[in-house]
C-alpha cells in the first residue's frame, strides 16, 4: 500500500502569516445613485498589509483594481488615508482560510469584496455604513478578529 501525499496547496496560501487587513471608508459619490448612501460611507475598499508592504483591493464600477503600492515596508498607510479624509478601520488579522458561510447571492459590490477579504466570519452588511457599524459596534466581531483595533476619533 502506498501512502497518498496531501494535496498541494497554492503557494500564495502559505504566506498568510503576518497579513492584516484594513477596511477603508470614504464618502465620495462617483455615481448619482451613490448619493442615496450615507454621507461619508458611500464606498469602501481593503488595504492588506504584509511584512513587505501594502496591497490595495478597490472594487470600481465594472472591475476590481488590485495594486501593490510602492511604499517602504512599515509605511503608515492608514495614517495617510486618515490625513486624506478617509476612515480606515482595523487591523484585522488574516489567517488560514476556514470553512464558513460563503457570500452566495451577494452582488458584486465594495462591501462584498471587503467581506470576502475578512473571511467567512465577516459580519453581514449590504452598505458601507452597515459594514462600518457592524465592525465597530459588534462585540462578537471584536472577539473574533481583533488584537489591536483602531477607529479614528
Amino acid at each position: 500500500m502506498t501512502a497518498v501525499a496531501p494535496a498541494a496547496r497554492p503557494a500564495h496560501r502559505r504566506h498568510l502569516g503576518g497579513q492584516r487587513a484594513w477596511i477603508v471608508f470614504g464618502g465620495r459619490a462617483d455615481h448619482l445613485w451613490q448619493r442615496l448612501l450615507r454621507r461619508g460611507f458611500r464606498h469602501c475598499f481593503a488595504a492588506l498589509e504584509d511584512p513587505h508592504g501594502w496591497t490595495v483591493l478597490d472594487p470600481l464600477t465594472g472591475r476590481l483594481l488590485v495594486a501593490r503600492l510602492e511604499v517602504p515596508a512599515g509605511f503608515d498607510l492608514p495614517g495617510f488615508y486618515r490625513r486624506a479624509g478617509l476612515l480606515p478601520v482595523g487591523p484585522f488579522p488574516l489567517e488560514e482560510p476556514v470553512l464558513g458561510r460563503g457570500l452566495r447571492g451577494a452582488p458584486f459590490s465594495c462591501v462584498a469584496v471587503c467581506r470576502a477579504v475578512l473571511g467567512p466570519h465577516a459580519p453581514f452588511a449590504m452598505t458601507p455604513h452597515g459594514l462600518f457599524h457592524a465592525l465597530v459596534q459588534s462585540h462578537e466581531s471584536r472577539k473574533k478578529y481583533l488584537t489591536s483595533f483602531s477607529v479614528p476619533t
Side-chain angles (χ1 to χ4, degrees), residues 22 43-48 55-60 64-67 110 113-114 117:
W22 292 78
H43 182 64
C44 59
F45 62 92
L48 305 177
T55 303
V56 173
L57 300 165
D58 194 354
L60 304 172
L64 175 64
L65 173 70
V66 179
C110 58
V113 169
C114 290
V117 166

Side-chain angles (χ1 to χ4, degrees), residues 2-6:
T2 60
V4 176

Side-chain angles (χ1 to χ4, degrees), residues 41-114:
F41 296 94
R42 292 181 173 150
H43 182 64
C44 59
F45 62 92
L48 305 177
E49 179 185 23
D50 63 44
H52 306 290
W54 291 91
T55 303
V56 173
L57 300 165
D58 194 354
L60 304 172
T61 302
R63 69 186 183 111
L64 175 64
L65 173 70
V66 179
R68 184 70 178 179
L69 302 182
E70 293 186 23
V71 295
F75 180 77
D76 182 19
L77 190 61
F80 172 81
Y81 286 141
R82 271 188 217 97
R83 290 187 299 277
L86 300 172
L87 183 63
V89 178
F92 302 95
L94 301 181
E95 299 181 11
E96 185 67 27
V98 296
L99 292 177
R101 65 183 190 274
L103 298 174
R104 292 183 194 95
F108 179 78
S109 68
C110 58
V111 174
V113 169
C114 290

Side-chain angles (χ1 to χ4, degrees), residues 31-47:
H31 300 285
L32 191 58
W33 65 265
Q34 288 177 313
R35 294 186 182 159
L36 297 172
L37 298 172
R38 188 179 296 239
R39 185 180 303 266
F41 296 94
R42 292 181 173 150
H43 182 64
C44 59
F45 62 92

